[in-house]
């Protein structure tokens, strides 16, 4: 199938592919894993799509381009109420957020959770969705300039790591009781301290390592009966039908207003270098996408 791409998502995994942290198998290679656009041609044997369909995908390497060939198994059909910009902002991050709060640890009313990088693409979605499910949300942000942005996303308590000690702050907020779950996509700089803030029998969910891989305190995990989980999105989506159902759940949350307004930061694809630099330096907030024109 040929896909004309209208919006392309920027994800931290793109940085990992570019830097060689995640090795690429073949060269020359095109990075990027997420985009949305219109089907312009189909090959023999394609049964689920036709020319003109609006589609997106959340993990198929080769997204940084105006047109691309792609297998129909990678594609998700977009409902009419979801724009290309929304799809490129939500598919990977929204399905990751869904996995985190509904499957890795199912957030319940009355829970208190800690989410790191709460102003980021995944963190802001996890925060809003968890709040919708009845949780009290404590979020951290790397810089105090992001605090207002995070609070606007419905987070109950926001801790700016450049000026505040998140360990003491969380202890104060929870009256020393700790949190039911920590969602950590940062890794080395936050995970060790986060383990100390989890209530006995709670969940430590490590879904990324923007600051590097953390060292695990196995003794503390055993002592506190902490459930340590490193979720992988693919393991929760065994087939195309499961992926479409998960995407539909995300789109329904969007329709219901769970995420409020999706307002991505937009770069031209020709400015991909600048976008990567801004992402790595922590300048970006929320979802970031590229336009191809």
């Amino acid at each position: 199938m040929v896909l004309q791409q209208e919006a392309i998502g920027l994800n931290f995994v793109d940085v990992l592919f570019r830097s060689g942290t995640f090795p690429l198998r073949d060269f020359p290679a095109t990075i990027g894993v997420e985009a949305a656009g219109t089907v312009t041609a189909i090959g023999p044997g394609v049964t689920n799509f036709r020319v003109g369909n609006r589609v997106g995908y959340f993990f198929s390497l080769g997204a940084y381009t105006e047109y691309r060939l792609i297998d129909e198994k990678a594609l998700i059909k977009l409902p009419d109420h979801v724009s290309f910009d929304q799809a490129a902002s939500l598919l990977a991050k929204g399905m990751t957020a869904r996995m985190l709060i509904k499957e890795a640890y199912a957030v319940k009313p009355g829970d208190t959770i800690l989410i790191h990088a709460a102003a980021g693409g995944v963190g802001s979605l996890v925060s809003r969705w968890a709040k919708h499910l009845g949780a009290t949300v404590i979020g951290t942000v790397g810089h105090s300039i992001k605090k207002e942005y995070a609070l606007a996303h419905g987070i109950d308590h926001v801790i700016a790591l450049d000026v505040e000690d998140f360990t003491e702050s969380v202890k104060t907020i929870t009256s020393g009781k700790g949190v039911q779950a920590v969602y950590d996509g940062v890794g080395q700089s936050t995970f060790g301290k986060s383990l100390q803030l989890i209530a006995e029998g709670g969940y430590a969910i490590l879904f990324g390592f923007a600051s590097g891989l953390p060292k695990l305190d196995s003794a503390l995990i055993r002592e506190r009966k902490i459930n340590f989980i490193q979720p992988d999105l693919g393991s929760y989506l065994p087939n195309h039908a499961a992926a479409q159902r998960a995407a539909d759940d995300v789109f329904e949350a969007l329709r219901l207003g769970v995420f409020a307004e999706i307002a991505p930061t937009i770069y031209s694809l020709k400015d991909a270098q600048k976008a990567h630099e801004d992402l790595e330096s922590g300048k970006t907030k929320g979802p970031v996408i590229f336009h191809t024109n």
Side-chain angles (χ1 to χ4, degrees):
M1 296 176 60
V2 178
L3 182 62
Q4 180 181 354
Q5 305 198 135
E6 301 291 342
I8 300 165
L10 172 61
N11 296 283
F12 200 81
V13 71
D14 300 354
V15 174
L16 300 179
F17 277 121
R18 192 205 74 229
S19 66
T21 303
F22 287 176
L24 294 163
R25 295 180 181 179
D26 301 305
F27 292 93
T30 301
I31 63 170
V33 299
E34 175 184 30
T38 304
V39 175
T40 59
I42 60 174
V46 174
T47 58
N48 293 319
F49 299 91
R50 65 178 184 271
V51 171
N53 280 164
R54 301 171 65 255
V55 298
Y57 57 92
F58 60 92
F59 202 93
S60 179
L61 193 64
Y64 284 19
T65 183
E66 294 179 47
Y67 291 84
R68 70 167 298 180
L69 292 171
I70 192 166
D71 191 307
E72 69 170 322
K73 294 178 181 177
L75 297 178
I76 298 294
K77 292 181 179 178
L78 303 182
D80 292 340
H81 73 272
V82 176
S83 71
F84 292 129
D85 284 4
Q86 290 172 326
S89 301
L90 275 178
L91 270 169
K93 298 174 185 68
M95 292 174 75
T96 298
R98 178 188 178 277
M99 170 192 70
L100 293 175
I101 64 168
K102 290 196 172 186
E103 296 180 294
Y105 171 72
V107 172
K108 306 181 297 297
D111 281 347
T112 300
I113 68 165
L114 173 63
I115 172 71
H116 289 296
V122 173
S124 58
L125 297 178
V126 169
S127 300
R128 282 194 180 279
W129 214 336
K131 189 66 181 171
H132 177 75
L133 293 172
T136 296
V137 180
I138 305 170
T140 70
V141 294
H143 304 282
S144 51
I145 58 174
K146 294 185 177 182
K147 193 165 185 174
E148 184 176 344
Y149 176 87
L151 285 169
H153 279 71
I155 299 174
D156 296 284
H157 308 276
V158 180
I159 303 164
L161 298 182
D162 59 337
V163 294
E164 298 175 84
D165 183 325
F166 84 82
T167 301
E168 292 305 316
S169 296
V170 172
K171 287 180 179 178
T172 299
I173 292 166
T174 64
S175 300
K177 296 177 181 178
V179 298
Q180 278 67 55
V182 170
Y183 295 98
D184 194 335
V186 177
Q188 185 176 339
S189 64
T190 54
F191 192 74
K193 292 181 179 179
S194 296
L195 283 177
Q196 302 171 26
L197 301 172
I198 301 172
E200 183 171 324
Y203 285 71
I205 302 160
L206 180 66
F207 65 94
F209 40 89
S211 67
L213 283 168
K215 293 182 179 179
L216 298 182
D217 188 339
S218 300
L220 178 61
I221 290 173
R222 289 194 300 269
E223 178 186 342
R224 301 285 291 277
K225 298 181 177 64
I226 293 171
N227 300 279
F228 172 61
I229 298 175
Q230 281 188 280
D232 172 69
L233 184 57
S235 66
Y236 292 93
L237 304 172
N239 51 51
H240 184 267
Q244 183 69 58
R245 286 194 298 271
D248 289 343
D249 196 14
V250 174
F251 297 149
E252 179 64 5
L254 174 66
R255 189 187 68 80
L256 292 173
V258 172
F259 307 135
E261 182 184 4
I262 299 298
T265 301
I266 301 172
Y267 294 79
S268 171
L269 184 56
K270 64 182 177 60
D271 296 324
Q273 178 180 336
K274 170 65 172 165
H276 275 236
E277 291 170 351
D278 289 350
L279 178 64
E280 290 182 271
S281 66
K283 293 180 180 179
T284 61
K285 295 179 290 187
V288 179
I289 64 173
F290 299 112
H291 279 177
T292 58
N293 48 32

